[in-house]
Amino acid sequence: MANFIEVKDLVYRYSKEQGDDNLCPAIDHVSIEIKRGEYISIAGSNGSGKSTLARCLNGLLLPTEGEILVDGMDTNDDDLIWDIRKKIGMVFQNPDNQIVSSMVEDEVAFGPENIGIENPELRKRVDNALKSVGMYEYRNREAHKLSGGQKQRIAIAGAVAMRPDCIVFDEPTAMLDPKGRSQVMKVIRELNDQGITIILITHFMEEVAEADRVLVMKSGKLLADSVPEDVFADTNLIESAGLEIPAAVLLRNELIENGISLSHEVINKDDLVDALCR
C-alpha cells in the first residue's frame, strides 16, 4: 500500500519572533511514513515536539528543512496548500477556540460552506457528520451551552463534514473530564473504522493503547515507532520520554510476577478484564 503521508527528514525551528530563542529545533530530523486508514498515536511529554509536528502535517507550519508529502502533494507548495487541508482535518484541545457559530448545525456547516458546498449536499454533510459523532439531536442547540465533551464532538463533526481522508487530533481530550474523554475516544475509534486515517497526539497512555502504531517523541526527536505492545514493554523508553505506563499494564505486570499467565498483548482495561475472566 502506498504511503498517504511521508515526513522526510523534517526539521522545524521556531523563530525568535515566535517567542523561542532556543537554538534546538522543535522537530529534529524526523522521518515518518503513514498509510491510508492507519490509526497512529504520537506520544510525548510537554515540549517533545508532538504538537508542532501535528501543525506541520497540514501546512499550518512549514518545514525549516526537509519535506512533508500528503497524498503526493508537498506542503511547501503554496498552490497545493488548500488541497492538502481538504485532505487533512485538524481538531485541537480546546473546542471553545474552534467554535465560531452560535448554533450547532451552523458550526458544522461553516467549513464546507466556505469551500462552496451548497444545499442539498451541504445539508447531507452536516446531518451525516452530526450523526457520526452522536450529536444529531443537538443540531438546533446553542453551541456555548454544551458540555466540554459535547463541544469537542461538535468540533470533530465540523472536521468530518469537510470529508477529509485524515484527521489529526491534537490533545483532543486534554481539557475534558473522564466521561468527555471516553465519548471523544469512542468517536475517534468509530471514524477510523469508517476508513478515516487517524493521527492522535496525546500524553494519556491509556489513549495511546488504542492505536495501531505509536510514535514516541522527546526533545523533537523520534525515539520509537512501533506497536503499542512493544512500546509498553520497554519501561526504559517510557520513562526516558517522561511518560507513564498505563495502570492496566502495571497491574498486568504485577499479576504476571505473581504467577498469573497473561499475554503481553494485554495493554488496556478491557483486554485485562477479558483475560482474567477467561
Side-chain angles (χ1 to χ4, degrees), residues 152-180:
Q152 193 62 290
R153 283 192 280 165
I154 294 304
I156 294 170
V160 170
M162 296 291 287
R163 299 278 175 86
D165 295 311
C166 170
I167 302 178
V168 178
F169 295 89
D170 187 8
E171 301 273 10
T173 66
M175 303 185 70
L176 304 182
D177 59 21
K179 181 180 178 182

Side-chain angles (χ1 to χ4, degrees), residues 111-138:
E113 201 168 23
N114 276 345
I115 61 171
I117 305 300
E118 299 179 350
N119 282 320
E121 174 64 18
L122 179 62
R123 177 79 266 166
K124 181 180 175 182
R125 285 198 187 195
V126 170
D127 289 349
N128 287 345
L130 285 168
K131 288 173 183 176
S132 75
V133 300
M135 292 294 289
Y136 181 71
E137 65 270 28
Y138 292 85

Side-chain angles (χ1 to χ4, degrees), residues 169-220:
F169 295 89
D170 187 8
E171 301 273 10
T173 66
M175 303 185 70
L176 304 182
D177 59 21
K179 181 180 178 182
R181 284 178 58 192
S182 177
Q183 290 172 340
V184 168
M185 289 304 298
K186 180 175 182 289
V187 169
I188 291 173
R189 286 193 298 273
E190 289 172 349
L191 292 174
N192 184 240
D193 289 341
Q194 295 166 22
I196 294 177
T197 305
I198 299 296
I199 301 173
L200 174 67
I201 315 292
T202 185
H203 63 269
F204 292 120
M205 297 306 281
E206 293 83 1
E207 295 177 3
V208 169
E210 306 264 354
D212 300 326
R213 266 171 65 204
V214 181
L215 311 179
V216 180
M217 295 189 67
K218 179 183 180 182
S219 302

